[in-house]
Amino acid sequence: EVQLVESGGGLVQPGGSLRLSCAASGSTNTKKCLAWFRQAPGKERERVASLESGTMRFRAVAYADSVKGRFAISQDTAKNMVYLQMNSLKPEDTGIYYCAAGDSDCLGAPSAYRYWGQGTQVTVSS
């Protein structure tokens, strides 16, 4: 069993940065996929970034087109942490951000991920 707890959200001005953290109890190293999703009000949950656990090989990391070049997902296997560095934030990045883990399709829909955190709110506004 894996439990995930996100932190690091908040209010930031457009162009600013935030770093989200996801602390895992139980080893995420055994899970194939780690990801960050977000959900804006009235919209479906979308995958923002994903990686294949235990590796930072380029082909194992994927980003939504809307965040490429601005967001970076990383993992600290020793600390059982997953991070999402968010730079050049835009108002459309506003939403609840969720950390997720699973063993299915890393590029799949939310249903492909079995474990979820409670989410952390990110608001980008001036």
Side-chain angles (χ1 to χ4, degrees):
E1 189 73 14
V2 174
Q3 292 185 333
L4 305 171
V5 179
E6 304 95 336
S7 61
L11 173 64
V12 62
Q13 292 186 342
S17 297
L18 281 175
R19 187 194 194 202
L20 304 183
S21 299
C22 174
S25 62
S27 176
T28 56
N29 297 343
T30 63
K31 300 306 171 190
K32 175 183 177 183
C33 309
L34 299 170
W36 287 93
F37 286 77
R38 70 184 178 192
Q39 189 164 19
K43 294 188 177 180
E44 294 185 352
R45 192 171 297 189
E46 64 170 341
R47 181 174 38 80
V48 173
S50 62
L51 62 79
E52 188 173 322
S53 181
T55 178
M56 288 302 296
R57 291 173 296 169
F58 176 77
R59 65 179 177 87
V61 179
Y63 297 96
D65 288 342
S66 59
V67 306
K68 282 181 180 177
R70 300 188 297 122
F71 288 14
I73 187 172
S74 62
Q75 179 191 20
D76 186 330
T77 56
K79 296 181 179 179
N80 258 348
M81 297 290 293
V82 183
Y83 303 100
L84 184 68
Q85 179 66 44
M86 306 186 295
N87 300 324
S88 302
L89 283 162
K90 304 176 181 179
E92 51 263 43
D93 294 319
T94 294
I96 301 174
Y97 283 69
Y98 298 90
C99 178
D103 292 312
S104 184
D105 180 7
C106 298
L107 301 181
S111 58
Y113 285 78
R114 178 177 179 183
Y115 304 101
W116 291 86
Q118 83 290 348
T120 185
Q121 176 71 45
V122 172
T123 302
V124 184
S125 175
S126 55

